[in-house]
């Protein structure tokens, strides 16, 4: 419930304008609720209509993506790009290929991206895109034809100084490569229009690892500063087994933790000895197979069907790295009951509002997605910098910058939580700290009449 009348009015307008878009409304509500204390002290926000403007995308593009499958049949998918806010830099954000993609999902992701990108300290606005195309079971040639068709339309709306997409669920180096190739053919120019590129054509070292590594750097710093603790000796449960989950597993293990579970959309594995990441990488990155294959190679491990059971495994730290709303109230209660003290989010909006309430009521150290998973887009920002400089930094240099950025994000979120009278509530802190920079830029840039 909103106490502030301005916030209440803005939220009601968003509800009326975006009927039935549950994910988008969830993301907006959380940010607006976090802003209560700040908005009370800043009447200029209402005078200049900052909130009314920040909840409305600058541009929302929807387009047809027609492509031919291997059987010669024409398939039609729906493509999207939301260019949500460019106050502090060109639109920046990933592309998601998953059958669940719709306008609400794209808008929630684009809205979150505004504040996440602001938190990185780099000059990037918020955007997101994707399609309801399902990459599962498609041949490499089908993926290529889809990506080329998708880019044929998307290329009309993006550019290195306008909007720079990257990967997200279902989009990794392979898809970025096909899209980059098509953009170059269409425009006859070689620019850093996409990030997450391969190393041989303008990619950055550490970008593949960046979201998972960054999540662990953020978590380690939070543990250090808020609990005088660290990953060392901890039992960790990580959901998903894609880009973010794999590199979170790698870094958490390097930092001395034992990761005992991973999942995909079919089920989860529990390996009490600590998961063997080489086996997981072979299954997921080389074979693009199901996580259930793991138990064939590591017979001492268990496989269970279904996703939510993973949250009943006892752990000290949970890192959800699969998808939105994967932890509901019941799962959050199970985590707490089994001793989990830390939940930091690699996925975007993986916890329902009810789950977040459970964390906060039980003193769980909660690292919200837009702070904890910002390492991916931050390193994309570093890829853009290297492309502009026409240079490539070493692994050590990019990794050091990423660590610095993640530590800064934690401290900015923590300090903002204190300033708002909500010490240690990193959700409030991240929302406020991310918002202030964007709002200040919007105030400075004026309203077009
Ligand atoms: P990938 O496509 O590499 O992996 C996604 C993983 O999540 C897979 O294991 C997938 O299982 C699982 N998953 C996807 N959808 C669902 C679902 N509906 N239910 C259960 N499991 C699901 O994507 P990423 O690792 O890149 O992305 C994971 C999360 O991290 C997303 O929320 C994304 O937005 C977020 N993120 C990603 C960043 C990046 O740089 N890549 C940056 C910041 C956040 P399956 O294979 O069975 O579909
Ligand atoms: O959600 C995200 O931050 C991403 N998928 C990464 C976006 C990017 O531009 O690197």
């Amino acid at each position: 419930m909103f106490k502030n009348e301005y916030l209440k009015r803005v939220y009601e307008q968003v509800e009326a304008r975006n009927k039935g878009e549950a994910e988008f409304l969830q993301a907006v509500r959380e940010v607006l609720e976090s802003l209560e204390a700040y908005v009370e002290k800043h009447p200029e926000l209402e005078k200049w209509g900052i909130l009314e403007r920040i909840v409305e995308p600058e541009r929302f593009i929807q387009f047809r993506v027609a492509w031919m499958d291997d059987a010669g049949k024409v398939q039609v998918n729906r493509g999207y790009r939301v260019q949500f806010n460019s106050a502090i830099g060109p639109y920046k954000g990933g592309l998601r290929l998953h059958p669940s993609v719709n306008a609400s999902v794209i808008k929630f992701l684009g809205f979150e991206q505004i504040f996440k990108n602001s938190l990185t300290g780099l000059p990037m606005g918020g955007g997101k895109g994707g399609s309801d195309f399902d990459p599962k079971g498609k041949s490499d040639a089908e993926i290529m034809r889809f990506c080329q068709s998708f880019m044929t339309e998307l290329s009309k709306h993006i550019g290195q100084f306008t909007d720079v997409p990257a990967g997200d669920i279902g989009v990794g180096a392979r898809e970025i490569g096909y899209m980059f190739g098509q953009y170059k053919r269409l425009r006859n120019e070689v620019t850093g229009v996409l990030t997450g590129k391969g190393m041989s054509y303008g990619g950055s070292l550490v970008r593949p690892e960046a979201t998972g590594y960054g999540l662990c750097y953020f978590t380690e710093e939070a543990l250090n500063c808020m609990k005088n603790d660290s990953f060392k000796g901890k039992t960790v449960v990580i959901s998903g087994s894609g880009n973010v989950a794999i590199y979170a597993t790698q870094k958490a293990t390097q930092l001395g933790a034992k990761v005992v579970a991973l999942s995909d959309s079919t089920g989860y594995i529990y390996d009490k000895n600590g998961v063997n990441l080489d086996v997981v990488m072979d299954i997921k990155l080389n074979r693009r197979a199901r996580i259930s294959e793991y138990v064939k190679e590591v017979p001492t491990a268990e496989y269970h069907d279904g996703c939510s059971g993973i949250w009943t495994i006892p752990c000290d730290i949970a890192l959800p790295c699969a998808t939105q709303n994967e932890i509901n109230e019941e799962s959050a209660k199970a985590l707490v009951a089994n001793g989990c003290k830390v939940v930091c989010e690699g996925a975007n909006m993986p916890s329902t509002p009810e789950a977040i309430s459970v964390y906060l009521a039980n003193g769980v150290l909660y690292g919200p997605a837009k702070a904890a998973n910002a390492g991916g887009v931050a390193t994309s920002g570093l890829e853009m910098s290297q492309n502009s400089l026409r240079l490539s930094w070493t692994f050590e240099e990019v990794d050091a910058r990423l660590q610095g950025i993640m530590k800064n994000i934690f401290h900015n979120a923590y300090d903002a939580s204190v300033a708002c009278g909500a010490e240690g509530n990193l959700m409030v802190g991240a929302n406020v700290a991310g918002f202030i920079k964007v709002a200040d830029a919007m105030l400075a840039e004026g309203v077009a009449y």
Side-chain angles (χ1 to χ4, degrees):
M1 273 310 290
F2 294 102
K3 290 189 233 44
N4 180 282
E5 277 305 310
Y6 176 41
L7 286 169
K8 184 165 179 281
R9 179 158 47 77
V10 170
Y11 184 73
E12 283 170 2
Q13 197 175 50
V14 177
E15 255 185 332
R17 273 208 177 134
N18 302 276
K19 283 201 179 63
E21 297 193 350
E23 295 86 359
F24 179 49
L25 294 174
Q26 182 183 336
V28 170
R29 177 182 268 276
E30 184 206 286
V31 170
L32 295 185
E33 283 179 352
S34 295
L35 293 175
E36 290 269 5
Y38 189 80
V39 168
E40 286 288 336
K41 286 192 214 143
H42 292 273
E44 73 275 15
L45 296 174
E46 182 168 8
K47 179 173 177 217
W48 292 101
I50 296 296
L51 295 181
E52 293 89 325
R53 286 193 276 150
I54 214 164
V55 296
E56 185 67 18
E58 289 174 17
R59 205 167 291 107
F60 183 82
I61 303 147
Q62 186 190 307
F63 49 96
R64 183 179 68 200
V65 187
W67 56 280
M68 201 174 278
D69 67 19
D70 286 346
K73 188 170 181 306
V74 174
Q75 302 282 346
V76 177
N77 285 101
R78 201 168 260 191
Y80 302 91
R81 186 75 184 163
V82 65
Q83 298 181 331
F84 221 119
N85 192 296
S86 61
I88 65 169
Y91 310 107
K92 180 85 195 88
L95 298 169
R96 179 177 289 192
L97 299 183
H98 194 273
S100 64
V101 164
N102 58 32
S104 172
V105 168
I106 294 298
K107 278 155 68 180
F108 114 66
L109 289 163
F111 184 71
E112 293 277 290
Q113 203 80 41
I114 303 170
F115 309 101
K116 182 196 302 192
N117 293 3
S118 165
L119 284 167
T120 66
L122 301 172
M124 301 182 289
K128 199 83 189 189
S131 172
D132 58 4
F133 173 79
D134 186 357
K136 279 202 190 74
K138 301 291 190 295
S139 70
D140 198 59
E142 287 175 326
I143 298 283
M144 183 174 81
R145 288 195 294 273
F146 172 83
C147 289
Q148 291 175 339
S149 179
F150 182 79
M151 182 52 86
T152 298
E153 178 59 28
L154 187 68
S155 68
K156 296 167 189 166
H157 309 286
I158 63 175
Q160 63 168 334
F161 300 122
T162 311
D163 184 355
V164 181
D168 193 79
I169 291 176
V171 176
R174 173 180 63 168
E175 292 74 20
I176 292 293
Y178 292 147
M179 289 185 200
F180 184 77
Q182 184 69 351
Y183 184 88
K184 197 158 50 65
R185 277 175 213 111
L186 291 164
R187 293 291 186 94
N188 194 24
E189 60 182 39
V190 183
T191 62
V193 67
L194 293 163
T195 60
K197 300 185 290 298
M199 282 312 300
S200 58
Y201 59 96
S204 174
L205 289 165
V206 194
R207 180 62 189 89
E209 297 88 350
T211 311
Y213 278 22
L215 170 65
C216 292
Y217 296 148
F218 176 93
T219 306
E220 183 83 348
E221 185 71 4
L223 272 166
N224 225 282
C225 298
M226 292 175 74
K227 291 192 182 280
N228 194 23
D229 208 340
S230 72
F231 265 109
K232 207 167 172 47
K234 300 292 184 298
T235 299
V236 181
V237 164
I238 298 182
S239 62
S241 48
N243 173 267
V244 181
I246 284 174
Y247 292 105
T249 302
Q250 188 171 73
K251 185 52 70 178
T253 309
Q254 284 171 10
L255 291 171
K258 184 161 79 171
V259 178
V260 295
L262 287 171
S263 64
D264 61 20
S265 59
T266 334
Y268 66 94
I269 54 150
Y270 173 53
D271 187 340
K272 63 179 185 322
N273 301 319
V275 296
N276 182 330
L277 196 56
D278 290 339
V279 172
V280 175
M281 285 168 106
D282 182 52
I283 294 169
K284 285 291 163 185
L285 304 181
N286 299 338
R287 288 153 51 193
R288 296 182 188 271
R290 302 280 79 205
I291 196 72
S292 54
E293 296 284 303
Y294 184 87
V295 293
K296 291 189 190 153
E297 313 206 15
V298 186
T300 49
E302 298 168 18
Y303 170 77
H304 300 271
D305 272 328
C307 301
S308 62
I310 195 171
W311 309 120
T312 64
I313 298 172
C315 64
D316 304 304
I317 299 172
L319 304 176
C321 295
T323 195
Q324 63 270 10
N325 292 326
E326 56 173 312
I327 305 185
N328 62 14
E329 183 174 17
E330 192 189 335
S331 296
K333 283 182 174 163
L335 281 169
V336 170
N338 289 323
C340 176
K341 298 277 189 306
V342 180
V343 179
C344 287
E345 299 178 332
N348 284 305
M349 206 166 77
S351 307
T352 64
E354 296 76 20
I356 296 171
S357 299
V358 172
Y359 309 148
L360 298 179
N362 288 280
V364 170
L365 193 174
Y366 170 52
K370 56 174 80 66
N373 76 26
V377 74
T379 309
S380 280
L382 300 177
E383 183 171 329
M384 291 167 73
S385 304
Q386 292 167 81
N387 291 165
S388 295
L389 287 166
R390 303 195 181 284
L391 285 175
S392 294
W393 296 331
T394 62
F395 190 96
E396 290 70 28
E397 172 148 19
V398 181
D399 192 41
R401 284 178 190 262
L402 171 63
Q403 287 187 47
I405 289 170
M406 297 316 295
K407 285 182 183 178
N408 257 332
I409 292 175
F410 166 74
H411 288 284
N412 288 341
Y414 189 87
D415 293 349
S417 77
V418 175
C420 291
E423 181 168 356
N425 184 330
L426 300 176
M427 174 184 71
V428 168
N431 285 331
V432 170
F435 171 80
I436 291 175
K437 185 174 163 191
V438 178
D440 285 352
M442 289 173 75
L443 285 165
E445 291 172 23
V447 193
Y449 290 93

